[in-house]
Amino acid sequence: MVGEPANFQAWDTDLILATLPRSGTLWLKSLSFATINRTRYPTSSKEHPLLTTSPHDLVPFLEFKHLYGSNSFPDFTKFQSPRVLAVHVPYHSLAESIKNTPNCKIVYLCRNPKDNFISIWQFQNRLKAAKNVNDPEPLPIEEALDLFCHGVSLYGPFWDHLLGYWKESLEKPEKVLFLKYEDMMKDPKPHLKRLAEFSGYPFSLEEENEGVLDEILGLSSFDLLKNLDVNKDGITGFNVQNKIFFRKGEVGDWKNHLTPLMAERVDRLIEEKLHGSGLVFSN
Ligand code: A3P
């Protein structure tokens, strides 16, 4: 059920977005879709697809067969190039064709561990409540943190997921672009430019002067995405309302949930796991 279709064949024009859940996937999907398709869909258009459709539908996951109505993967060969597709799987589990197709590029977005943990924990509790499962009691944060620190997370331990893509981005910078949510939140434009250049769709000076970057950031803004009015019946296959994916969209919300001892535990663990890799988080 999880994992790309075994016969998935990457194209040289593909852009694959890789993230851990709750690390800004929807934001990255929206920024990438708007950037790469800006000739087909002008960013100033009142009919831009992002104004009416969830980025989860515009940039489908290569995994989760159950998300698609027929419980089988769509025929990705019918998609128009350039294809923008998404995965949550770790680097080592990616289809070989994604790794080996020379110009198929990968953008990885990660988030600082404490905020990512809080966002996942909150999301799981919100999902439980929304889906009316038999046991709607929220998972106590202590229990959730214990699991996280023991590497029991969706798609494997947090640190392994990051390190897999991080190492590839160092070895093959033309293949894997590694971004951090916090950096993008602080100063989104330079990162949007990097994303565009890396993907092979750099902004011209004229576009910059015309405000295309601002338009893309606007189309991808938290408020706009959260208030999309199209998914009353739920996004394809997820069976939940669009709003559930959006909570605060802030950096440092962990401070409202973790005790100093809990925060120190995560900091020490992550420091140890990432030691020597050159990958660091400051908050
Ligand atoms: P919080 O739970 O901290 O609010 P994903 O898309 O991978 O599920 O990530 C969800 C997280 O990204 C949530 O974080 C959500 O609020 C935040 N987010 C969603 N859209 C965003 C946007 N346009 N800009 C910034 N953050 C966004």
Side-chain angles (χ1 to χ4, degrees):
M1 191 156 75
V2 173
E4 304 93 344
N7 58 352
F8 177 72
Q9 184 57 52
W11 296 343
D12 265 325
T13 47
D14 286 347
L15 185 66
I16 307 294
L17 310 179
T19 54
L20 271 174
R22 309 305 292 162
S23 58
T25 314
L26 273 157
W27 192 24
L28 181 65
K29 283 184 173 188
S30 152
L31 292 170
S32 306
F33 181 88
T35 300
I36 276 141
N37 289 299
R38 65 189 189 274
T39 308
R40 191 154 42 127
Y41 304 120
T43 50
S44 58
S45 168
K46 297 275 174 290
E47 285 167 18
H48 195 284
L50 278 165
L51 296 172
T52 51
T53 315
S54 163
H56 274 325
D57 285 336
L58 295 170
V59 179
F61 281 108
L62 270 181
E63 47 215 21
F64 315 127
K65 198 151 58 167
H66 63 286
L67 286 185
Y68 303 103
S70 54
N71 202 26
S72 62
F73 288 108
D75 184 354
F76 291 112
T77 63
K78 298 260 163 53
F79 283 38
Q80 197 172 333
S81 166
R83 300 183 300 189
V84 191
L85 300 163
V87 294
H88 278 324
V89 292
Y91 184 82
H92 64 80
S93 303
L94 280 179
E96 286 305 308
S97 137
I98 294 179
K99 297 179 191 167
N100 298 334
T101 302
N103 288 318
C104 162
K105 305 212 172 205
I106 301 167
V107 178
Y108 186 75
L109 176 65
C110 73
R111 194 170 184 188
N112 90 64
K114 299 194 287 293
D115 276 342
N116 203 165
F117 163 73
I118 291 298
S119 186
I120 294 169
W121 171 63
Q122 292 267 344
F123 186 63
Q124 285 173 336
N125 289 335
R126 282 148 62 107
L127 265 188
K128 259 183 160 187
K131 292 201 165 181
N132 269 331
V133 292
N134 294 338
D135 172 24
E137 281 302 304
L139 182 66
I141 193 165
E142 293 79 7
E143 260 179 61
L145 188 69
D146 225 34
L147 291 169
F148 180 84
C149 290
H150 283 102
V152 183
S153 304
L154 288 168
Y155 302 95
F158 173 87
W159 46 91
D160 284 349
H161 204 278
L162 270 70
L163 284 173
Y165 286 94
W166 172 250
K167 285 178 185 156
E168 286 302 314
S169 76
L170 295 181
E171 279 171 29
K172 297 183 197 142
E174 69 296 340
K175 177 83 181 175
V176 182
L177 175 67
F178 194 96
L179 298 171
K180 288 181 183 162
Y181 179 92
E182 295 72 34
D183 295 347
M184 295 196 25
M185 288 288 280
K186 198 168 163 196
D187 198 3
K189 269 193 197 166
H191 294 94
L192 181 56
K193 280 195 198 179
R194 276 181 77 199
L195 174 65
E197 273 162 32
F198 172 80
S199 318
Y201 298 86
F203 296 109
S204 66
L205 207 55
E206 201 185 344
E207 284 182 305
E208 286 191 38
N209 292 336
E210 283 171 356
V212 170
L213 282 86
D214 289 311
E215 283 168 357
I216 293 175
L217 292 172
L219 285 168
S220 309
S221 70
F222 179 87
D223 286 337
L224 194 139
L225 295 181
K226 178 174 180 173
N227 293 309
L228 269 178
D229 195 25
V230 290
N231 295 305
K232 292 195 183 79
D233 299 327
I235 295 167
T236 315
F238 278 100
N239 287 324
V240 288
Q241 305 260 314
N242 177 56
K243 275 198 169 54
I244 201 165
F245 292 96
F246 303 88
R247 197 177 58 95
K248 289 188 171 176
E250 287 171 7
V251 173
D253 182 48
W254 62 265
K255 292 180 188 128
N256 298 315
H257 301 278
L258 295 178
T259 64
L261 263 182
M262 287 171 165
E264 201 188 312
R265 179 179 179 196
V266 178
D267 286 345
R268 261 194 282 117
L269 177 72
I270 297 299
E271 218 178 289
E272 178 198 311
K273 296 289 184 186
L274 301 185
H275 182 73
S277 69
L279 178 58
V280 285
F281 290 94
S282 52
N283 46 11

